[in-house]
Amino acid sequence: MKKTLVSALTTALVVGAASTTFAAANPFSDVPADHWAYDAVTQLAADGVIEGYGDTTFQGDKSITRYEMAQMVAKAMAKTDVSATDKAMIDKLAAEFADELGSLGVRVSNLEKHADMVKWNGELRYRYWSTREEGEHRANKDQLRFRLKPTAEVNDHWDVHAQIDSDMDISKDTTATAKLKEAYAQGHYKNFGTKLGRFALWSEADQGLLLDDDYSGAQVTFGKDLKVTLEAGRWSGITSDTDAAANMQAIDLSGTTGKLRGGVAYHHFNSDAFKSGYTQYQDNGTTDEANIWSVGAGYNFDGNWDLFGAFAKNASADNYSTSHNIQLTYKGSDKVNQGTWGAYAAYRYVSSNVSLCPTYDTATSGFLNAAGSKGWEVGADYTPFHNVYTAVSYFDGKHLAADQDVKVLFGRVSFFF
């Protein structure tokens, strides 16, 4: 059964509604002030929830189909900057036409999906490191990072992403130039996905024991429960000399069954940086290659406790060529759920010739020592408010090369938007 546009709007507004007085100006020549739906129509039009025709008419007596009604309601539901009064009106519209909206199912979902083709997310992050090394050497570091992450939909299977970062040393009150860290197109199909451009470089099988950075190239992923990831490209994070950026090829097999998960990966790198930029890389020889194998496995006991371990080896390196990590985690903070928290304890052995850019904030070869570090780490995270994340961790260990004691305190506060 068809309804007129004006009756569709106003029926929902009067169902269970208290009397409300509106003061919006009349934008439509065919909705006089004494019209029974005048208040509702003019208020919704004033707030941009509904629109008329280009000839200043509203044409409220025009019959509309269920699909046209769904278009109107879906558009109203997609708006985020409406007043509390309009939000109440929209909720009543959705309730009044629940059957019509439900019967349109996929089409309504598509309308909501396409309502905003470009979305922006971001983060303001503060991080602090305090390092104490044997011999009374001390170092502190304060970093403020502002990040923007726009996403734009191309079609049902493709979208484009970007990430813009700006880092500042607030202890010195320095400013920084924003850098485009990521820019890529992503395709997603059933049991298949691909990325093209500059995007995250993450070693899935070992959960970041090897790599957590960005690179330029291509990636394809196959499978569902067992995923196969193939990637190739150029990685400049291996050295500050951009001319020595590494060529990279990798394959990763990772899967989950019940409470058990695991993976195995192989990464191959080609770069002149291995000839001079890495600690005692080879005893004799001038190879420019790294051939790194890694494995990882985890078990989730009851939804709260989780145990994960990983091991990696660089077959091309003669020294500092293995890394391993084992971590026991309890729960975990979710940035969107206020009051959630988690804690962990871990033992990390991180060698620079195999863990080229690991994910850890404390026991990392690049921050502490050229060869790497080993030791125990404990940490906790907490969400005090919606989209506000906090974390603290403490590392107590030794440098691999000099066997010197080292302690690191790390803290982080992030505001997501």
Side-chain angles (χ1 to χ4, degrees), residues 16 26 44 54 67 73-74 77 87 107 149 166 178 205 220 222 228 244 262 280 295 308 349 352 361 399:
N26 181 9
L44 291 172
Y67 180 62
V73 176
M77 292 172 65
K87 179 64 167 60
R107 288 195 285 182
K149 300 185 72 172
S166 181
V220 292
F222 306 90
V228 180
Q280 301 177 34
V295 295
F308 180 81
Y349 187 101
S352 63
D361 290 305
H399 291 316

Side-chain angles (χ1 to χ4, degrees), residues 24-38:
N26 181 9
F28 305 119
S29 59
D30 58 346
V31 184
D34 60 351
H35 193 283
W36 63 278
Y38 176 86

Side-chain angles (χ1 to χ4, degrees), residues 149 161-164 179-184 198-201 213-214:
K149 300 185 72 172
H161 303 255
Q163 179 177 305
I164 304 167
K179 296 181 179 179
L180 184 63
K181 291 283 290 182
E182 296 182 2
Y184 63 95
R198 179 173 173 83
F199 48 91
L201 176 59
D213 201 17
D214 297 286

Side-chain angles (χ1 to χ4, degrees), residues 165-167 175-179:
D165 284 358
S166 181
D167 292 330
T175 59
T177 302
K179 296 181 179 179

Side-chain angles (χ1 to χ4, degrees), residues 20 30 65 75 91-92 102 136 145 157 221 274-275 306 336 349 381 389 411:
T20 306
D30 58 346
T65 65
K75 180 178 178 181
D91 288 343
K92 291 168 187 172
E136 299 302 318
R145 170 173 291 173
H157 295 289
T221 302
F274 293 115
K275 296 179 180 180
D306 185 88
V336 300
Y349 187 101
D381 55 1
Y389 172 85

Side-chain angles (χ1 to χ4, degrees), residues 178-193:
K179 296 181 179 179
L180 184 63
K181 291 283 290 182
E182 296 182 2
Y184 63 95
Q186 182 174 19
H188 34 85
Y189 298 84
K190 184 177 181 180
N191 298 332
F192 171 77

Side-chain angles (χ1 to χ4, degrees), residues 7 24 90 92-93 123 139 171 178 191 231 235 288 332 341 383 401:
S7 65
I90 295 168
K92 291 168 187 172
L93 281 168
E123 176 189 2
S171 64
N191 298 332
E231 51 192 339
W235 178 46
D288 63 352
W341 65 280
T383 300

Side-chain angles (χ1 to χ4, degrees), residues 204 221-229 252-256 262 264:
E204 177 68 25
T221 302
F222 306 90
K224 184 180 179 182
D225 297 326
L226 176 63
K227 290 187 177 181
V228 180
T229 301
D252 183 296
L253 287 82
S254 297
T256 301
V264 58

